Amino acid sequence: MSIEFANESGFDVDEAEVVAVAAFAIAAMDVHPGAELNMLAVDLDTMADLHVKWMDLPGPTDVMSFPMDELTPGGRPDMADAGPATLGDIVLCPQFAAEQATAAGHSTGHELNVLTVHGVLHLLGFDHAEPDEEREMFALQDSILAEYYAQQRDQERRARQSARDEKLLGRTGFLGRRD
Protein backbone atom coordinates (compact mmCIF):
# COMPACT_ATOMS: atom_id res chain seq x y z
CA MET A 1 0.00 0.00 0.00
CA SER A 2 1.34 3.37 -0.94
CA ILE A 3 0.21 6.44 0.99
CA GLU A 4 1.78 9.80 0.26
CA PHE A 5 1.26 12.63 2.75
CA ALA A 6 2.15 16.28 2.26
CA ASN A 7 1.63 18.92 4.92
CA GLU A 8 1.15 22.38 3.43
CA SER A 9 -1.00 23.62 6.30
CA GLY A 10 1.63 25.24 8.50
CA PHE A 11 0.02 23.24 11.34
CA ASP A 12 1.84 20.51 13.26
CA VAL A 13 0.43 17.14 12.13
CA ASP A 14 1.58 13.69 13.26
CA GLU A 15 2.03 12.43 9.71
CA ALA A 16 2.98 8.89 10.78
CA GLU A 17 -0.24 8.57 12.80
CA VAL A 18 -2.48 9.88 10.02
CA VAL A 19 -0.86 7.55 7.49
CA ALA A 20 -1.17 4.59 9.91
CA VAL A 21 -4.88 5.30 10.42
CA ALA A 22 -5.45 5.57 6.67
CA ALA A 23 -3.60 2.28 6.06
CA PHE A 24 -5.61 0.58 8.80
CA ALA A 25 -8.92 1.84 7.38
CA ILE A 26 -8.00 0.75 3.86
CA ALA A 27 -7.03 -2.72 5.09
CA ALA A 28 -10.17 -2.94 7.25
CA MET A 29 -12.25 -2.28 4.15
CA ASP A 30 -10.47 -5.11 2.32
CA VAL A 31 -9.01 -2.87 -0.38
CA HIS A 32 -6.15 -4.34 -2.42
CA PRO A 33 -2.86 -3.89 -0.52
CA GLY A 34 -1.31 -2.30 -3.60
CA ALA A 35 -3.78 0.60 -3.53
CA GLU A 36 -2.45 4.13 -3.63
CA LEU A 37 -3.68 7.11 -1.64
CA ASN A 38 -2.60 10.73 -1.64
CA MET A 39 -3.19 12.90 1.42
CA LEU A 40 -2.71 16.63 1.75
CA ALA A 41 -3.05 18.92 4.76
CA VAL A 42 -3.89 22.51 3.84
CA ASP A 43 -4.61 25.82 5.55
CA LEU A 44 -8.04 27.38 6.01
CA ASP A 45 -7.84 29.60 2.93
CA THR A 46 -6.84 26.76 0.63
CA MET A 47 -9.59 24.53 2.02
CA ALA A 48 -12.14 27.32 1.58
CA ASP A 49 -11.08 27.69 -2.06
CA LEU A 50 -11.41 23.92 -2.64
CA HIS A 51 -14.77 23.84 -0.88
CA VAL A 52 -16.17 26.56 -3.13
CA LYS A 53 -14.61 25.13 -6.30
CA TRP A 54 -15.70 21.52 -5.84
CA MET A 55 -18.76 21.67 -3.59
CA ASP A 56 -20.01 25.19 -4.32
CA LEU A 57 -20.17 25.79 -0.57
CA PRO A 58 -18.67 28.82 1.17
CA GLY A 59 -15.92 28.69 3.77
CA PRO A 60 -13.51 25.97 4.76
CA THR A 61 -14.42 22.45 5.84
CA ASP A 62 -12.62 19.71 7.74
CA VAL A 63 -12.02 17.06 5.05
CA MET A 64 -12.64 16.58 1.35
CA SER A 65 -12.24 13.39 -0.66
CA PHE A 66 -11.58 13.10 -4.36
CA PRO A 67 -12.03 9.51 -5.60
CA MET A 68 -10.05 8.30 -8.61
CA ASP A 69 -10.71 4.64 -9.46
CA GLU A 70 -14.13 3.18 -8.70
CA LEU A 71 -13.66 0.50 -6.06
CA THR A 72 -16.00 -1.77 -4.18
CA PRO A 73 -14.82 -2.68 -0.67
CA GLY A 74 -14.34 -6.42 -0.25
CA GLY A 75 -15.71 -7.28 -3.67
CA ARG A 76 -17.34 -10.64 -4.28
CA PRO A 77 -15.60 -13.98 -3.70
CA ASP A 78 -16.23 -15.07 -7.30
CA MET A 79 -14.80 -11.88 -8.83
CA ALA A 80 -11.30 -11.67 -10.26
CA ASP A 81 -8.82 -9.72 -8.17
CA ALA A 82 -9.17 -6.08 -9.16
CA GLY A 83 -5.50 -5.43 -8.43
CA PRO A 84 -4.01 -2.21 -7.17
CA ALA A 85 -5.75 1.05 -7.86
CA THR A 86 -5.48 4.72 -7.01
CA LEU A 87 -8.09 5.42 -4.37
CA GLY A 88 -7.79 9.16 -4.78
CA ASP A 89 -6.96 12.16 -2.65
CA ILE A 90 -7.94 13.17 0.86
CA VAL A 91 -7.49 16.81 1.81
CA LEU A 92 -7.48 17.64 5.53
CA CYS A 93 -7.62 21.03 7.19
CA PRO A 94 -5.83 20.62 10.55
CA GLN A 95 -6.74 24.10 11.81
CA PHE A 96 -10.44 23.45 11.17
CA ALA A 97 -10.02 20.01 12.80
CA ALA A 98 -8.40 21.61 15.86
CA GLU A 99 -11.40 23.88 16.34
CA GLN A 100 -13.77 20.92 16.02
CA ALA A 101 -11.67 18.88 18.46
CA THR A 102 -11.82 21.64 21.06
CA ALA A 103 -15.59 21.88 20.68
CA ALA A 104 -15.92 18.08 20.97
CA GLY A 105 -13.56 17.86 23.96
CA HIS A 106 -10.92 15.60 22.43
CA SER A 107 -7.47 15.96 20.89
CA THR A 108 -6.71 17.33 17.46
CA GLY A 109 -4.90 14.07 16.72
CA HIS A 110 -8.07 12.08 17.37
CA GLU A 111 -10.09 14.47 15.21
CA LEU A 112 -7.62 14.06 12.35
CA ASN A 113 -7.89 10.28 12.74
CA VAL A 114 -11.69 10.51 12.55
CA LEU A 115 -11.48 12.71 9.46
CA THR A 116 -8.96 10.38 7.83
CA VAL A 117 -11.24 7.35 8.21
CA HIS A 118 -14.16 9.49 7.07
CA GLY A 119 -12.20 10.49 3.97
CA VAL A 120 -11.26 6.89 3.17
CA LEU A 121 -14.89 5.83 3.42
CA HIS A 122 -15.92 8.60 1.04
CA LEU A 123 -13.27 7.41 -1.42
CA LEU A 124 -14.87 3.97 -1.27
CA GLY A 125 -18.30 5.35 -2.13
CA PHE A 126 -19.86 5.82 1.30
CA ASP A 127 -21.91 8.95 1.88
CA HIS A 128 -24.08 10.53 4.55
CA ALA A 129 -26.60 12.54 2.55
CA GLU A 130 -29.52 10.39 3.70
CA PRO A 131 -30.22 9.32 7.32
CA ASP A 132 -29.73 5.60 6.56
CA GLU A 133 -26.45 6.29 4.75
CA GLU A 134 -25.29 8.49 7.62
CA ARG A 135 -26.00 5.79 10.22
CA GLU A 136 -24.17 3.17 8.17
CA MET A 137 -21.14 5.36 7.40
CA PHE A 138 -20.68 6.74 10.91
CA ALA A 139 -21.14 3.30 12.52
CA LEU A 140 -18.48 1.91 10.20
CA GLN A 141 -16.22 4.89 10.88
CA ASP A 142 -16.59 4.40 14.66
CA SER A 143 -15.98 0.66 14.34
CA ILE A 144 -12.79 1.11 12.30
CA LEU A 145 -11.45 3.70 14.75
CA ALA A 146 -12.27 1.50 17.76
CA GLU A 147 -10.41 -1.42 16.14
CA TYR A 148 -7.46 0.84 15.31
CA TYR A 149 -7.19 2.16 18.87
CA ALA A 150 -7.55 -1.37 20.31
CA GLN A 151 -4.69 -2.52 18.09
CA GLN A 152 -2.58 0.48 19.20
CA ARG A 153 -3.23 -0.28 22.88
CA ASP A 154 -2.31 -3.93 22.35
CA GLN A 155 0.94 -2.98 20.59
CA GLU A 156 1.81 -0.56 23.41
CA ARG A 157 1.08 -3.25 26.01
CA ARG A 158 3.31 -5.73 24.17
CA ALA A 159 6.09 -3.17 23.91
CA ARG A 160 5.92 -2.46 27.66
CA GLN A 161 5.98 -6.19 28.41
CA SER A 162 8.92 -6.69 26.06
CA ALA A 163 10.82 -3.84 27.75
CA ARG A 164 10.15 -5.39 31.19
CA ASP A 165 11.30 -8.80 29.92
CA GLU A 166 14.43 -7.27 28.39
CA LYS A 167 15.22 -5.47 31.63
CA LEU A 168 14.73 -8.64 33.66
CA LEU A 169 16.81 -10.76 31.28
CA GLY A 170 19.45 -8.06 31.12
CA ARG A 171 19.90 -8.17 34.91
CA THR A 172 20.12 -11.91 35.32
CA GLY A 173 21.39 -13.01 31.91
CA PHE A 174 20.02 -15.92 29.94
CA LEU A 175 18.42 -18.69 32.02
CA GLY A 176 18.76 -16.75 35.25
CA ARG A 177 22.59 -16.82 35.55
CA ARG A 178 24.20 -13.73 36.99
CA ASP A 179 26.48 -11.88 34.55
Side-chain angles (χ1 to χ4, degrees), residues 65-120:
S65 297
F66 300 93
M68 296 294 275
D69 295 335
E70 189 172 321
L71 299 173
T72 303
R76 290 187 354 221
D78 60 339
M79 286 178 50
D81 184 9
T86 301
L87 293 177
D89 302 325
I90 295 175
V91 182
L92 299 166
C93 185
Q95 186 175 350
F96 198 94
E99 294 167 10
Q100 287 183 158
T102 299
H106 55 246
S107 71
T108 300
H110 174 70
E111 186 71 16
L112 288 170
N113 290 348
V114 169
L115 296 174
T116 297
V117 173
H118 191 85
V120 167

Side-chain angles (χ1 to χ4, degrees), residues 167-179:
K167 188 175 177 182
L168 178 63
L169 291 173
R171 270 195 247 145
T172 60
F174 186 72
L175 296 176
R177 290 179 278 162
R178 293 268 177 215
D179 291 339

Side-chain angles (χ1 to χ4, degrees), residues 43-168:
D43 60 32
L44 287 169
D45 290 338
T46 302
M47 185 58 102
D49 290 344
L50 290 170
H51 204 211
V52 167
K53 180 178 181 178
W54 295 102
M55 302 296 291
D56 201 23
L57 295 170
T61 189
D62 49 9
V63 61
M64 292 183 71
S65 297
F66 300 93
M68 296 294 275
D69 295 335
E70 189 172 321
L71 299 173
T72 303
R76 290 187 354 221
D78 60 339
M79 286 178 50
D81 184 9
T86 301
L87 293 177
D89 302 325
I90 295 175
V91 182
L92 299 166
C93 185
Q95 186 175 350
F96 198 94
E99 294 167 10
Q100 287 183 158
T102 299
H106 55 246
S107 71
T108 300
H110 174 70
E111 186 71 16
L112 288 170
N113 290 348
V114 169
L115 296 174
T116 297
V117 173
H118 191 85
V120 167
L121 292 176
H122 273 307
L123 291 178
L124 295 173
F126 289 87
D127 202 358
H128 47 85
E130 300 296 324
D132 288 345
E133 293 175 335
E134 182 177 354
R135 277 190 295 280
E136 178 185 12
M137 183 176 180
F138 282 83
L140 185 54
Q141 176 180 295
D142 292 347
S143 173
I144 290 170
L145 277 171
E147 289 176 35
Y148 174 77
Y149 286 132
Q151 181 187 65
Q152 294 302 107
R153 285 189 303 273
D154 188 52
Q155 287 175 351
E156 290 168 4
R157 183 193 55 76
R158 289 177 191 213
R160 284 191 308 273
Q161 183 63 49
S162 179
R164 285 193 297 267
D165 292 349
E166 181 82 21
K167 188 175 177 182
L168 178 63

Side-chain angles (χ1 to χ4, degrees), residues 1-3 22-37 71-74 81-87 124:
M1 178 172 324
S2 172
I3 300 175
F24 186 89
I26 291 167
M29 295 304 296
D30 200 24
V31 174
H32 191 283
E36 298 176 3
L37 172 65
L71 299 173
T72 303
D81 184 9
T86 301
L87 293 177
L124 295 173

